Amino acid sequence: MARQAKAGDAPFDRNVVMKRVFLSPAIIILLALSIFPLLWSLGMSVTDIQRGDNRGAAAAAEAGEDSGFLGLGFNITLQNYQRMFSDQRLHSTIRNTLVFVFSGVTIQYVIGFGLAMVLNQDFRGRSIVRVIFLMPMMMSPVAAAYAGRMMFDSSISPLAQFQRTLTDTLQGIGAILPGTFLDDAVVRIPWLTDAGWAPVTMVLIDSWQWIPFVTLLLLAGMQTIPDELYEAAKVDGANSLQILRSITFPILLPISATVILIRGLEIFKIIDIIMVTTGGGPGNATESLTMYIFDTALTFGNYGYAASISFALLATVILFATVFLAGMRRITPR
Amino acid sequence: MRKFTVFVFVAALLVLSLGVTAQGEFAGQTIVVVTQTGRSIGGPVEDFAPEWEAMTGADVQLQQFAFGELYEKMITAFETGSIDYDMMIFPADWAGDFMAPGYLEPMPQELLDALEPDDIIPLYADRITAWGDTVYALPYDGDSHMMYYRKDLVNPESPYAAEFEAEYGYPLDEPQTWDQYFDIATFFNGREVETAGEMLPIYGVAEAQRRNAQSYWVYLSHAAGYAKTPGNPCFFFDCADMTPEVNNPGFVRALEEYVALRALGPEEMINWDVADTRVQFPAGISVFNIDWGDVGPISYNPDASVIVGDTGFAPLPGGTEYWDSQADAWVTPESGVNRAPFIAFGGWIIGVAADSDVKEAALDFAAFMARPELVRQLATIPDTGINPSRYSQLNVEDVSLWVESGFDEEGAVDYLSAILEGISHPNYVLDIRIRGSAEYLSVLDTEVARALVGEITAQEALDNVAAQWNDITDRLGREEQLAQYRASVGYGE
């Protein structure tokens, strides 16, 4: 019979000690590889450290001048966090990133849900269709971005050709029916060359790659719903929309929350597609927060400022995730 | 125990035999070379290192990184003292970060003397490879922007000459000024012309305008003719106090023209870097292109070009007037054109880490790669990324190497003359080569991109650049930056 621990017992419990001993390597590794760098960069965020400070510090120390905190060539300061409020480029990257996140997650979830419902039906060749359908997800994001860049090119792409054909067709109809607006109709969308359309194109390329992921998870969830529930609903006279609203959607809510959270967090970090397709342009239209952090740290060498933006991003993401999960908990049926 | 003895014996024999076979001045040493990925610039190291290895007994390890990562890799190795790389082939722009702090080994005089120093164009010998009076690098690639144009369309005997002259009031010929460049581009834009035997519509220009790439250098080529004052080496900053000049009327006018060029090129041009225009211009899509010297050999490569023999080469056009920031006024030069060739980027140069523990071997290999006969050959081969930096490479009396590589004689002379005229011009403009150059140029890139899409005006964009440049200068230390800028342009020499 297991011994029950009571208040006032001696603190030494061999089992507990052994558990801690065996757990300690994992905890130490976690601390070393994750927590320590996190704290280190948090420390950096309150310094004015930038590339080249060490050589400046050495010269300053030699000259008997201020060589910074502990002689390391930098100073403790909160100016990075102040600078964030006046940095217009940062503000535009935050706006762009939020647009990517909310529009991307919405499109991917809605289309992914619909496709999961289609793939959940019985039809011939369903297995092959599922495999083909998952292929974009297996591509590297850079390859997907190149495919997107070629697809959305304004002059030499299948899409551009389709737009030209559509324009010719409409104008042909306009010639037959003069006086209609079709006479001079032009179908031309500047997918990558217009500051208004380019962010939309980024979301479409990202969605093309990641809708299969959303579909896969939702399909897995759908297949766990017992058929008896659907049969009972049909016996009660429920139509398809009522079944979706009262059975499928509520049961899938926990999985939906997970999918939305994962995709939301991933899009928050979007960089690869943008780098390949527009480089952040036209103008500042598609520059993301991660791209700006990358430039700030590795191109400009402003490590302190890059760390402070990273922490602001981390705080934003944690806040977003917490609010979202709290909201989901409230509406998830128990 | 016996096995162990045999193993030790065999190992000893192996070591002895290696000692016998590995002969040469640097036998057993390994030098690590770092540069960008791809065949361009790094390719010749892969091709020619085995020859040097066989001569010296040393090993060469080539490490390549994407251009976007290269600076960070090198500077991190320098600053942490990790000595990851012994020899680096790097952009001359980074001199302020690499040479000024003493991270590179000064080049020994005997080594420089062995590389035909009189053959090196002074711009590279005295300025690009040096910091102050000390030479820290060897010239490998020469880089300056130039103009390419369809000479079958733009010439006084062109079928379009009469129509052009009637419309614009002067003969159709190689443009000398940006105004003429603009007129000719406007005249041809959208017109059907004969290209590779077919009548096809052509654009006026194919210029790189992509953000976060290399397009700001193209804009600066436009700006040089309007904002460079002859006799004053300072262009980006005022050499008195480091005040940015980037928002003066000369720069603004150039940006307004660069924005207006959007309408004279393909819509997709806003997402094109030079890698794209180097495909598009030889494909015959435009009348004009601004680029480094790489397009010359590409335009004569029948596998990549439909305009072989139809390409004209010329130095950058100039401004009909320029903004003199000291006089605070526009000045019209007597000649009618202010040429100011932009030494964009400045070329790839070879340096050796001061902390390298195989310094002698690295210096020897650097000299091997920078030797005149090799760079002469490399400059004629498409896709090596190597452009001329020596008089002998630009000798119009002997173009046999160029003809062997596919040029016709007239084209070779035209090409070499255009480069030579640019890099030997007294009013050339040097790129930013001081600490923080990457950040200064990135700020310019971002604001130019905003102006290109009409988000802000040219004046607003460049006012933003000036304000941010001041912030960067203050953060890095105005006095230090001023001293570096003066040294980098030879102010007061």
Side-chain angles (χ1 to χ4, degrees), chain B residues 71-91:
Chain B
Y71 176 82
E72 184 258 329
K73 296 287 182 193
M74 288 189 191
I75 198 75
T76 303
F78 282 137
E79 293 202 332
T80 57
S82 59
I83 322 177
D84 292 330
Y85 318 114
D86 303 296
M87 174 180 135
M88 44 280 302
I89 306 177
F90 65 95

Side-chain angles (χ1 to χ4, degrees), chain B residues 18-55:
Chain B
L18 279 174
V20 170
T21 55
Q23 293 177 335
E25 195 181 350
F26 305 114
Q29 296 186 22
T30 299
I31 65 167
V32 180
V33 179
V34 63
T35 192
Q36 70 168 356
T37 48
R39 290 289 303 160
S40 178
I41 305 300
V45 175
E46 285 179 317
D47 297 342
F48 292 93
E51 188 185 329
W52 182 81
E53 289 171 330
M55 286 190 309

Side-chain angles (χ1 to χ4, degrees), chain B residues 34-174:
Chain B
V34 63
T35 192
Q36 70 168 356
T37 48
R39 290 289 303 160
S40 178
I41 305 300
V45 175
E46 285 179 317
D47 297 342
F48 292 93
E51 188 185 329
W52 182 81
E53 289 171 330
M55 286 190 309
T56 62
D59 282 324
V60 175
Q61 271 186 22
L62 177 63
Q63 292 196 18
Q64 295 175 281
F65 299 100
F67 184 79
E69 296 172 45
L70 189 61
Y71 176 82
E72 184 258 329
K73 296 287 182 193
M74 288 189 191
I75 198 75
T76 303
F78 282 137
E79 293 202 332
T80 57
S82 59
I83 322 177
D84 292 330
Y85 318 114
D86 303 296
M87 174 180 135
M88 44 280 302
I89 306 177
F90 65 95
D93 273 2
W94 302 346
D97 291 303
F98 292 5
M99 295 178 187
Y103 290 140
L104 297 181
E105 180 72 8
M107 289 291 163
Q109 192 57 48
E110 62 271 20
L111 188 146
L112 294 171
D113 291 342
L115 294 176
E116 300 177 23
D118 294 341
D119 184 39
I120 302 169
I121 290 155
L123 164 69
Y124 297 103
D126 305 335
R127 187 69 58 210
I128 296 287
T129 56
W131 193 260
D133 296 331
T134 309
V135 176
Y136 288 97
L138 301 178
Y140 182 53
D141 159 47
D143 264 339
S144 64
H145 269 178
M146 58 191 287
M147 178 178 69
Y148 298 91
Y149 66 99
R150 285 283 297 275
K151 69 179 179 187
D152 58 324
L153 304 175
V154 182
N155 70 74
E157 275 73 52
S158 159
Y160 305 96
E163 189 185 344
F164 178 85
E165 189 162 1
E167 193 170 336
Y168 289 92
Y170 59 90
L172 178 62
D173 205 349
E174 180 183 289

Side-chain angles (χ1 to χ4, degrees), chain A residues 273-285:
Chain A
I273 289 173
I274 298 165
M275 286 285 233
V276 171
T277 49
T278 62
N284 274 348

Side-chain angles (χ1 to χ4, degrees), chain B residues 180-200:
Chain B
Q180 293 172 357
Y181 177 91
F182 211 91
D183 288 346
I184 297 167
T186 305
F187 175 79
F188 278 105
N189 191 49
R191 200 174 278 261
E192 286 207 345
V193 300
E194 190 178 328
T195 302
E198 284 185 74
M199 291 302 286
L200 297 167

Side-chain angles (χ1 to χ4, degrees), chain B residues 109-412:
Chain B
Q109 192 57 48
E110 62 271 20
L111 188 146
L112 294 171
D113 291 342
L115 294 176
E116 300 177 23
D118 294 341
D119 184 39
I120 302 169
I121 290 155
L123 164 69
Y124 297 103
D126 305 335
R127 187 69 58 210
I128 296 287
T129 56
W131 193 260
D133 296 331
T134 309
V135 176
Y136 288 97
L138 301 178
Y140 182 53
D141 159 47
D143 264 339
S144 64
H145 269 178
M146 58 191 287
M147 178 178 69
Y148 298 91
Y149 66 99
R150 285 283 297 275
K151 69 179 179 187
D152 58 324
L153 304 175
V154 182
N155 70 74
E157 275 73 52
S158 159
Y160 305 96
E163 189 185 344
F164 178 85
E165 189 162 1
E167 193 170 336
Y168 289 92
Y170 59 90
L172 178 62
D173 205 349
E174 180 183 289
Q176 303 300 305
T177 67
W178 288 116
D179 286 353
Q180 293 172 357
Y181 177 91
F182 211 91
D183 288 346
I184 297 167
T186 305
F187 175 79
F188 278 105
N189 191 49
R191 200 174 278 261
E192 286 207 345
V193 300
E194 190 178 328
T195 302
E198 284 185 74
M199 291 302 286
L200 297 167
I202 197 164
Y203 291 104
V205 299
E207 289 192 11
Q209 294 196 324
R210 180 181 170 85
R211 184 186 187 277
N212 222 11
Q214 303 182 60
S215 54
Y216 50 87
W217 276 310
V218 179
Y219 156 64
L220 288 170
S221 278
H222 285 271
Y226 289 123
K228 174 66 170 64
T229 304
N232 179 1
C234 309
F235 175 71
F236 293 101
F237 301 96
D238 186 326
C239 280
D241 56 6
M242 231 14 216
T243 301
E245 292 288 358
V246 72
N247 57 339
N248 76 32
F251 277 94
V252 173
R253 178 167 168 181
L255 184 52
E256 284 166 351
E257 288 184 7
Y258 184 63
V259 171
L261 285 171
R262 260 200 86 179
L264 302 178
E267 187 186 328
E268 209 62 30
M269 195 165 79
I270 197 151
N271 285 321
W272 281 357
D273 191 14
V274 291
D276 302 294
T277 58
R278 283 172 195 178
V279 172
Q280 301 291 347
F281 176 74
I285 70 137
S286 70
V287 178
F288 289 118
N289 171 227
I290 303 294
D291 201 333
W292 285 274
D294 305 68
V295 178
I298 295 170
S299 72
Y300 272 95
N301 176 4
D303 295 332
S305 171
V306 300
I307 52 171
V308 174
D310 288 337
T311 310
F313 311 102
L316 291 173
T320 46
E321 54 183 357
Y322 63 89
W323 180 261
D324 184 338
S325 54
Q326 303 302 309
D328 210 29
W330 285 103
V331 176
T332 303
E334 280 180 31
S335 64
V337 54
N338 180 48
R339 282 200 190 273
F342 181 45
I343 313 301
F345 189 77
W348 291 83
I349 53 181
I350 304 179
V352 168
D355 293 337
S356 168
D357 48 8
V358 287
K359 208 180 295 180
E360 293 306 313
L363 285 167
D364 194 76
F365 185 55
F368 175 84
M369 288 307 298
R371 69 192 195 277
E373 58 273 25
L374 180 59
V375 293
R376 274 197 283 267
Q377 179 190 344
L378 293 175
T380 65
I381 303 170
D383 302 327
T384 59
I386 307 297
N387 298 151
S389 59
R390 291 173 165 272
Y391 285 118
S392 57
Q393 290 172 298
L394 298 166
N395 179 10
V396 294
E397 303 302 319
D398 177 14
V399 292
S400 54
L401 264 181
W402 298 93
V403 172
E404 280 170 33
S405 73
F407 275 76
D408 54 57
E409 199 161 320
E410 184 196 340

Side-chain angles (χ1 to χ4, degrees), chain A residues 50-55 79 83 88-89 149 152-156 188-195 274-285 287 291 294-295 297-300 302-303, chain B residues 68-69 71-72 75-76 78-80 96-97 101 103 203 210-212 262 266-273 276 280 435-436 438-440 442-443 446-447 449-451 453 455 468 475-476 484:
Chain A
Q50 55 193 4
R51 184 179 289 139
D53 276 340
N54 56 346
R55 64 175 187 246
Q79 68 179 17
R83 184 179 161 186
Q88 296 298 319
R89 185 169 166 187
R149 187 177 169 182
F152 289 104
D153 188 283
S154 300
S155 51
I156 43 167
R188 200 191 62 76
I189 300 174
W191 296 103
L192 289 168
T193 58
D194 177 84
I274 298 165
M275 286 285 233
V276 171
T277 49
T278 62
N284 274 348
E287 187 177 35
M291 203 168 158
F294 175 90
D295 270 349
L298 299 181
T299 307
F300 311 159
N302 297 342
Y303 305 126
Chain B
E69 296 172 45
Y71 176 82
E72 184 258 329
I75 198 75
T76 303
F78 282 137
E79 293 202 332
T80 57
D97 291 303
Y103 290 140
Y203 291 104
R210 180 181 170 85
R211 184 186 187 277
N212 222 11
R262 260 200 86 179
E267 187 186 328
E268 209 62 30
M269 195 165 79
I270 197 151
N271 285 321
W272 281 357
D273 191 14
D276 302 294
Q280 301 291 347
R435 184 184 173 199
E439 188 171 6
Y440 285 115
S442 177
V443 164
T446 302
E447 296 299 329
R450 294 178 70 193
V453 295
E455 197 178 309
Q468 291 174 73
R475 203 174 64 241
L476 298 178
Q484 277 208 0

